[in-house]
Structure formats: C-alpha cells, structure tokens
Amino acid sequence: MTSGVRPGLFLTVEGVEGVGKTTNMMFIREWLEAVGVPLLCTREPGGTPLAEELRGLLLANRQEPVDPHAELLMIFAARAQHLNRVILPALASGTWVLCDRFTDATYAYQGGGRKLPVAVIEQLENIVQQGRHPDRTLLLDLDVETGLARARNRGGLDRFEQEQRSFFEDVRRAYQQRVKADPERFIVIDASRSLDEVQSQIAAELTKLLADFKSANENGAGQ
Ligand code: T5A
C-alpha cells in the first residue's frame, strides 16, 4: 500500500446474548465520534444489503432444522460480502470500523455452541479473510442467566435465542478460550456491573487505544 493513508483500526464487540453489545456500541460510537475519529459502525451477520438478507435467513424461526454446516456457510458468505465490500475499503481509506460481532462469534456459536470442528471454521476463515482479523476486540462477559434474562425482557426471541442454556454456557466458554489464545487482542469487560461502570471501563480502554494509535502514527510518520 503506497497511498500514504494510514489504515483505520478494526474494532469488534463480542459476547453472549443480552450482555449489552448494542447498548455499548452506541456508547463507543458517540465516544469515538466526539474525539473526531472517522468511524463506520456495522454488524454481523449483515452490513450490506445481501448480507442483511442472509442475516434474516439465519435468525428467522423456522420449522425446518438448520444444518450446522449450512448455518456456517451462510455466515461466511455474508462475511465475505461484508468484509470485501464494506470493511476493507473503509479501513483502507483511514476510517475506523466498529463491528457488532465478527469471526470470534463463529468460533463461539458454531464451534462452541454447535460443536463444529475448529479446523473447519479455520479453513473458511482463511479462505474468506486471508489473514485479516480485528485489531482489538471488546468482549463483554456476563453470566449466561443474567444475559438471557436481559435479552428476554427486550421481547421476541430469534432462532439462536431459543437455544438451551447449556448452548450459551458452551458459547461463553468458547469466547473465554479465544481470549486465552489471543490475550493481546482482547479487552475483557465485566458486563455484570452497572451500565455506568461498564461504560467508564470502556471509556478508559478507548482512551488507551487512541493514545497507542496516535503514538504509533507519530512514530510511523517520523520514519
Ligand atoms: N451469530 C452471529 C452466530 O451464531 N455466529 C456468528 O458468526 C455471528 C456473527 C445475532 C445472532 O447471530 C449469531 C449470534 C446471535 O445470536 P446479534 O443480534 O448481534 O446477533 O446478537 P444478540 O446477542 O441477539 O444481541 P442482543 O441485542 O440480544 O444483545 P446485546 O446487544 O448484547 O444486548 P443489548 O444491548 O440489547 O442489551 C440487552 C438489555 O440489557 C440492558 C439493555 O438496556 C437492554 O435492555 N443492559 C443492561 N442492564 C443492566 N446493566 C447493564 N450493564 C446493561 N447493559 C445492557
């Protein structure tokens, strides 16, 4: 790349149902925009018209059981479209991308929850992402029962939210394994605390992240 534009940061937000991703995505968006960061907010599955259609298919409650491989392939089909049409062009133009869920969710839900082999997910990840990963990931961590209660209070449940509690316990464990495997990338937030406390912790992390980004930028510019 010789355009001279420093690529934006790719940030993702992860966690089991009801941990507060949507609520805190809004907080992060406002925080970053207030300090002048050029930002694109998006989500997975979804983020383009085609990928949003696939999201609709994935989340819809239906009589026909969905084969786990069919689910996995739809998720990566949506991701290929989203990554290549939206995320990578934005990053290349210097815009930061804040994405509600990404491939960690696939390892957690289709790997941990549906028990698909990690090697199969890795193969698709390599094909679709070709080595591109989020720069930093905020994992909102909360016990499954509290998260599901929060999600239920919010209204109608989609196809994933109909799963048994043990499914979500497996999903949470798989997220925790992801953190262990890549502790530098993850920022783990205790989402059982009050929203104010959660958001001050997030703000502190964003302050550090921005300072690191600026200092890397200055060092890069001086070379
Ligand atoms: N999926 C996705 C896969 O299986 N594989 C994949 O690869 C990907 C990318 C849709 C589904 O797709 C699956 C996983 C998902 O099931 P989604 O819409 O992003 O993904 O997921 P949901 O988890 O369904 O999103 P939710 O909207 O249910 O949960 P949120 O966004 O985590 O929670 P939020 O912000 O709506 O908060 C829930 C309630 O809690 C309150 C909020 O006000 C709200 O009422 N709340 C708090 N209350 C007290 N204290 C706090 N700290 C609170 N924080 C929030």
Side-chain angles (χ1 to χ4, degrees):
M1 296 276 177
T2 52
S3 69
V5 177
R6 185 178 165 77
L9 276 194
F10 182 17
L11 308 178
T12 55
V13 181
E14 295 279 358
V16 185
E17 324 295 305
V19 290
K21 289 180 308 302
T22 308
T23 312
N24 289 303
M25 283 276 298
M26 280 190 277
F27 173 78
I28 297 168
R29 173 186 205 147
E30 282 167 15
W31 196 98
L32 288 173
E33 285 177 349
V35 295
V37 169
L39 184 68
L40 174 86
C41 281
T42 185
R43 67 174 181 181
E44 289 227 344
T48 80
L50 173 59
E52 287 291 330
E53 281 187 45
L54 287 164
R55 177 190 177 92
L57 293 175
L58 281 159
L59 266 57
N61 288 305
R62 61 182 76 244
Q63 291 291 321
E64 178 186 356
V66 179
D67 178 82
H69 282 97
E71 183 176 283
L72 181 71
L73 290 166
M74 279 195 275
I75 286 168
F76 270 108
R79 182 159 300 140
Q81 188 71 5
H82 187 208
L83 187 67
N84 290 306
R85 305 277 311 169
V86 175
I87 296 177
L88 293 178
L91 293 172
S93 74
T95 299
W96 289 32
V97 173
L98 174 63
C99 189
D100 188 343
R101 297 190 186 278
F102 198 64
T103 308
D104 292 304
T106 314
Y107 283 98
Y109 283 78
Q110 283 62 49
R114 302 274 188 240
K115 309 276 180 278
L116 287 176
V118 165
V120 171
I121 302 174
E122 278 171 352
Q123 273 181 312
L124 289 169
E125 181 183 31
N126 289 337
I127 293 168
V128 168
Q129 295 173 221
Q130 299 184 19
R132 287 165 298 224
H133 303 285
D135 294 302
R136 300 304 296 273
T137 298
L138 255 85
L139 175 67
L140 298 168
D141 186 47
L142 177 66
D143 68 277
V144 165
E145 198 161 327
T146 311
L148 288 178
R150 285 186 193 168
R152 280 192 201 107
N153 278 342
R154 219 198 25 206
L157 300 180
D158 64 36
R159 190 172 62 83
F160 288 96
E161 290 163 348
Q162 311 271 351
E163 292 292 340
Q164 301 295 314
R165 183 174 155 177
S166 62
F167 174 90
F168 296 106
E169 297 286 3
D170 291 339
V171 169
R172 186 182 184 206
R173 248 191 307 279
Y175 270 129
Q176 288 165 345
Q177 283 162 5
R178 300 284 296 158
V179 176
K180 268 200 192 139
D182 195 358
E184 297 285 302
R185 174 166 64 88
F186 279 94
I187 298 166
V188 182
I189 306 283
D190 177 1
S192 68
R193 307 175 80 179
S194 73
L195 197 51
D196 276 352
E197 288 170 312
V198 168
Q199 293 183 342
S200 11
Q201 202 190 335
I202 293 175
E205 295 293 347
L206 291 175
T207 305
K208 275 191 257 168
L209 196 67
L210 195 62
D212 289 349
F213 181 78
K214 280 186 177 156
S215 100
N217 212 355
E218 280 157 16
N219 292 339
Q223 280 165 12

